[in-house]
Amino acid sequence: MAEWLTAKVVENKQWNDRLHSLRVETDFPTFKAGQFTRLALEIDGEMVSRPFSLVNAPDESPLDFYFIEVPDGVLSSKLANMQAGDDIWVAPKAAGLLTVDQLPAAKHLYLVATGTGVGPFLSIAKTSLVWDLFEKVVLVHAVRYKDELAYPETIAEIQANHQDDFIYVPMVSREACDFALSGRIPQAIEDGRLEHRTGLNITPEDSQFMLCGNPAMVQDTMALLIDERGLKKHSRREPGHISIEKYW
């Protein structure tokens, strides 16, 4: 297998001054929704690569990567300036265990993300498998400012296709927003606002959680769900209710 696939940028969608969706075309093998691969560029004579989740569903093209431009980031600053027609390298396979096929059965699936951690969950929500496995799917996306709530058209399409089964909960922490919950995810769980918004109770019998994003959110939310709601972490050896992916 080749070490890298040659790919061509078809679009660099800029959501705000730091958030981008880089869409690239290449002959990429089958993957599972929720997985990631690596993007690379040759910079100063060295191949520099980083992992990025696939936002597109496995049967969609082009490949879609949602990322934030890191100040002084060696790779992300280069990616942020790429234009249609530019060449880029893509690792030849996907990896990662943040996939719904490895989850125990439950009624309700909570896809809980901060920032660009929403990417793999959009991929999952665009597949048929997740709707076959769960009665309700809740997407929680927490950001600092409302202009960071990217992919509104994708979310609206998911809502239109699954009107009775999909619940979208945006959260904005640093400015007033009349359509979103305020504050942080653990607070919204602890004080009951998330359950009030969704109309669903968080219980070990009914709930599965997938957490992706800021390590502090992941750790604090997991600890709260374990200590206060009786859930436990999921692993290959011991089935549980919480699967995680830390994004940096």
Side-chain angles (χ1 to χ4, degrees), residues 140-143 149 169-173 180-185 188 193:
V140 182
H141 187 201
V143 298
L149 292 168
V169 184
M171 295 189 65
V172 178
S173 62
L181 294 182
S182 62
R184 298 178 64 242
I185 290 168
R193 285 182 296 133

Side-chain angles (χ1 to χ4, degrees), residues 173-184:
S173 62
R174 296 191 184 180
E175 65 177 336
C177 184
D178 58 3
F179 62 85
L181 294 182
S182 62
R184 298 178 64 242

